[in-house]
Amino acid sequence: MAATRSARTRGHTRRAVAWLTAAALAACSGDSSTSPNPGSIHATVTGSPVTIIQGQSGTVDVSVARTAPFTGPVTLSLEGAPAGVTPTFDPASIASGATASTVTLAVASSATAGTYPLTIRAKGQGVADATVPVSLVVTAAPPPSFGLTIDPTALSIAQGAN
């Protein structure tokens, strides 16, 4: 019985060694049938840093490049926006074959002045996300620059008259 078990174990061992050897050879030979290259996304921005006064808005242009074989749509999002900052992408999803979008950052008058590091994330199905930093500088709104004067400073009107 020991001889039967030993022969059976040697058979399993030989098959395991053969399978591992084939897997190692495929990995070393560059056989990509087990892990094909899905392509990638690269994103860049123009207009950063963007400085926006409280109560106003500004824009940043986003460009996306794809590497083969990926050609699908890319969805954009903004991360790290402080309270009072609302992003709007036009378009929010860059269609296959297209490469550009614009993000408008609307800054509420209540937003806190300061410098904020933001991140634009580009996502495509089956490929790793691409991220690109954007610097947002929110500046305080200047005080209103208007005045009111009355001329003449005193006026007498009889009762019942205009």
Side-chain angles (χ1 to χ4, degrees), residues 51-107:
T51 301
I52 305 172
I53 298 171
Q54 293 168 324
Q56 296 185 14
S57 61
T59 61
V60 175
D61 294 322
V62 183
S63 295
V64 172
R66 300 166 180 88
T67 58
F70 179 72
T71 60
V74 175
T75 304
L76 301 173
S77 62
L78 183 75
E79 300 169 355
V85 175
T86 304
T88 304
F89 286 90
D90 182 26
S93 181
I94 302 174
S96 184
T99 60
S101 179
T102 299
V103 60
T104 300
L105 300 172
V107 176

Side-chain angles (χ1 to χ4, degrees), residues 20-70:
L20 288 172
T21 303
L25 286 173
C28 291
S29 68
D31 181 3
S32 62
S33 62
T34 57
S35 59
N37 176 5
S40 62
I41 303 170
H42 301 281
T44 57
V45 295
T46 342
S48 177
V50 59
T51 301
I52 305 172
I53 298 171
Q54 293 168 324
Q56 296 185 14
S57 61
T59 61
V60 175
D61 294 322
V62 183
S63 295
V64 172
R66 300 166 180 88
T67 58
F70 179 72

Side-chain angles (χ1 to χ4, degrees), residues 13 73 94 118 125 146:
T13 302
I94 302 174
L118 309 178
Q125 187 171 358
F146 63 89

